[in-house]
Amino acid sequence: MLLRTRLRTPGLDRAAVAYARMGESGGLWIALALAGAVLDSRRRGRWLAAAATVPLTLVLNYLVKRVVGRERPRVDGLDPVGRVPVSRSFPSAHAATSFAGAVRIAALVPGARAPLFAAAALMALTRPYLGVHYPGDIVAGAAFGLMVGAVAEIAS
């Protein structure tokens, strides 16, 4: 609730909406991995596999959402900011795809590990800030993304 009340400013609202938009369907992470594939032809296959992990995570996340069926949060007198997804709430797909992407890209660029995971955490935090997820949704999404990313990395 603190994220949705005391920390709110119009500028931060706009920034959170813009950043969350970049994370729609894992777009930011797919774009980063595809850029890596263009710039690093020697490891292009690994970069493309990293990019493919993101939509895989999205599909698996959707299946979990269907099973769990948790509704999105509603707080009387406090409307969500930006677009409210029509899908269920648990787990957060923004968090899942961000952490899966961060795992795969960090394996290719270990020196970027800290900023990648900071970017993933920030993406996850936009969701309760904007009022479209419970905090537990992003924790579960992050854990799910870490797991899918790690399994995909081991399998590649």
Side-chain angles (χ1 to χ4, degrees):
M1 199 60 148
L2 176 68
L3 283 174
R4 293 192 61 199
T5 56
R6 301 193 187 218
L7 298 178
R8 303 288 299 272
T9 69
L12 197 51
D13 285 358
R14 286 189 300 277
V17 167
Y19 190 57
R21 192 173 298 130
M22 291 190 323
E24 289 289 327
S25 301
L28 172 65
W29 305 95
I30 294 169
L32 287 172
L34 292 177
V38 169
L39 298 171
D40 184 4
S41 60
R42 185 177 59 80
R43 298 185 299 171
R44 182 167 289 138
R46 288 198 61 208
W47 282 106
L48 294 174
T53 299
V54 177
L56 169 66
T57 304
L58 190 64
V59 168
L60 295 173
N61 190 80
Y62 175 76
L63 295 174
V64 174
K65 282 181 186 273
R66 294 282 311 226
V67 170
V68 175
R70 180 186 219 177
E71 295 290 327
R72 294 204 176 259
R74 293 181 189 175
V75 178
D76 289 336
L78 191 57
D79 292 332
V81 177
R83 189 183 73 77
V84 178
V86 296
S87 64
R88 302 296 183 181
S89 183
F90 182 92
S92 165
H94 275 74
T97 57
S98 294
F99 278 91
V103 166
R104 294 304 306 271
I105 295 169
L108 289 159
V109 188
R113 183 175 192 76
L116 287 166
F117 281 95
L122 182 60
M123 184 67 72
L125 285 172
T126 67
R127 311 315 287 156
Y129 176 88
L130 295 171
V132 296
H133 278 290
Y134 295 100
D137 298 342
I138 66 165
V139 171
F144 188 71
L146 288 168
M147 180 193 69
V148 173
V151 169
E153 184 58 32
I154 290 166
S156 67

